[in-house]
Amino acid sequence: MKLKSHPLLQATPGTHRHVDSEHYGAMGASRKIYIQAALHADETPALLVAAHLRRQLVELENANRLNAQIVLVAVANPTGLSQYIMGAPSGRFELGSGRNYNRGFPVPYQAIADKIEHLLGQDIDANRQLIRQAWGECLLDAAPLDEFQSLQRTLMLLAHDADIVLDLHCSREAAMHVYTGEAVWATVEPLARYIGSEASLLATDSQANSFDEALYLLWVNLRERFGDRFPIPDSSVAVTVEHRGQRDVSYELAGHDATAIIDYLTYLGAVEGTPRPLPALRNPATPLAGSEQFYAPCAGVLVHRAAVGSRIEAGQALFDIVDPHSGQATTVCSHNTGVLYMRRDVRFVKPGDPLGRVSGATPIRSGKLLSA
């Protein structure tokens, strides 16, 4: 294993932060896998999964079983990891600006297209390398203005030339689920099987430019522009893995998830060995636009009436909001038939607070599909 340190732009005098990347396997290998944990820095389960992955990757490297370069960033957001409000961790947003660490990743699509248009040919592999080189050059040319932009550029530089990208997160209270692009679902599906995903949410463009989406959306856009003239591959294959809820931290769960990721890499041939037989897909993939999102219609004590990961029928009661003065309960029901894949962890709500989400097979939303 080779350890590299990537300094971030200094935020204030006397502070210095850096991102550490661990590189396993041959640096010059033809395939690259990139895995990062806790870009939302308070999503602790991902950090423990990364710790378990490290042990397995060391063993696999020592046994000469790695057929690809595998890059692990166990702490993807050292800035957010340092943020606390009166003892409570707050790693989803940069506190100074309110920016979400996993939104708005810049993709210099136009600059890349201009760089490569006169160089593309009919060799799809040569085109892939050309695009990755141009992307790297554009990232290096873009000088970050602050530590936030420096972090985003650092992570994108580490991942932009990877074939497979796994971005490890968690939700508030949730079942295992994944987000990925419609175009790459066929490659991601085995991971959803191994890891036991209860819901797989697909979108081409959620209009959030999250880390995984920014990575694969570039290729979609380039294919739309050049596909009738030049072959453009589906790279990178990127997926957000939601490792249940914030309190789902245990050796057993982290060990299961790390082993499932290694099973997936073995299935892809990045790890030498016989892959474990594919488990059944627990539920079919559904469009992200089909997910119903629920909001509190009034203030009160939130009582959950359905477990995360459970199958929900249209019309089923999901939440009660109880007025502490009158004791009257307002019930929120689902319009979807699907899986309750995440729900709120705070048990008192105000009007407009998000309550949870149920997957659905039919698109019912448009525009921005991810929360802030």
Side-chain angles (χ1 to χ4, degrees), residues 190-212:
L191 173 65
R193 290 171 178 262
Y194 280 124
I195 212 159
S197 179
E198 298 289 353
S200 303
L201 295 314
L202 310 185
T204 296
D205 184 1
S206 74
Q207 298 187 21
N209 261 37
S210 58
F211 181 76
D212 69 319

Side-chain angles (χ1 to χ4, degrees), residues 87-265:
S90 180
R92 183 179 181 87
F93 303 96
E94 184 191 52
L95 293 182
S97 67
R99 288 174 291 184
N100 187 321
Y101 283 111
N102 194 29
R103 299 291 184 269
F105 272 85
V107 180
Y109 159 71
Q110 190 60 52
I112 293 170
D114 291 344
K115 269 180 173 284
I116 64 174
E117 185 163 13
H118 66 289
L119 300 172
L120 291 169
Q122 298 307 310
D123 186 329
I124 193 169
D125 294 324
N127 289 345
R128 177 187 294 108
Q129 293 305 115
L130 184 67
I131 293 165
R132 287 175 174 170
Q133 180 180 341
W135 195 351
E137 292 170 354
C138 288
L139 287 168
L140 290 171
D141 289 342
L145 296 177
D146 55 21
E147 189 180 47
F148 182 97
Q149 291 184 5
S150 177
L151 174 66
Q152 287 197 329
R153 186 180 76 155
T154 296
L155 298 178
M156 195 60 73
L157 277 167
L158 284 165
H160 77 282
D161 59 348
D163 299 284
I164 302 291
V165 174
L166 307 183
D167 191 16
L168 310 185
H169 287 252
C170 80
S171 192
R172 299 299 184 182
E173 291 183 358
M176 177 69 75
H177 59 286
V178 300
Y179 297 94
T180 194
E182 295 174 348
V184 298
W185 168 239
T187 304
V188 173
E189 191 211 45
L191 173 65
R193 290 171 178 262
Y194 280 124
I195 212 159
S197 179
E198 298 289 353
S200 303
L201 295 314
L202 310 185
T204 296
D205 184 1
S206 74
Q207 298 187 21
N209 261 37
S210 58
F211 181 76
D212 69 319
E213 185 172 271
L215 284 162
Y216 71 72
L217 194 56
L218 170 78
W219 302 88
V220 172
N221 289 337
L222 289 176
R223 192 159 50 251
E224 288 179 354
R225 173 162 174 173
F226 297 126
D228 57 340
R229 291 185 288 157
F230 309 110
I232 306 294
D234 284 323
S235 298
S236 300
V237 174
V239 55
T240 292
V241 182
E242 301 279 355
H243 293 271
R244 307 173 192 84
Q246 285 186 311
R247 295 184 178 89
D248 292 318
V249 179
S250 71
Y251 290 131
E252 292 75 19
L253 289 175
H256 167 275
D257 295 351
T259 297
I261 290 171
I262 297 299
D263 285 336
Y264 176 58
L265 299 184

Side-chain angles (χ1 to χ4, degrees), residues 327-338:
Q328 181 177 352
T330 300
T331 300
V332 177
C333 298
S334 177
H335 296 92
N336 269 6
T337 295

Side-chain angles (χ1 to χ4, degrees), residues 289-313:
S291 294
E292 185 176 6
Q293 304 199 15
F294 304 93
Y295 299 92
C298 56
V301 178
L302 175 65
V303 180
H304 291 295
R305 296 184 56 178
V308 291
S310 59
R311 184 73 180 174
I312 303 299
E313 299 297 327

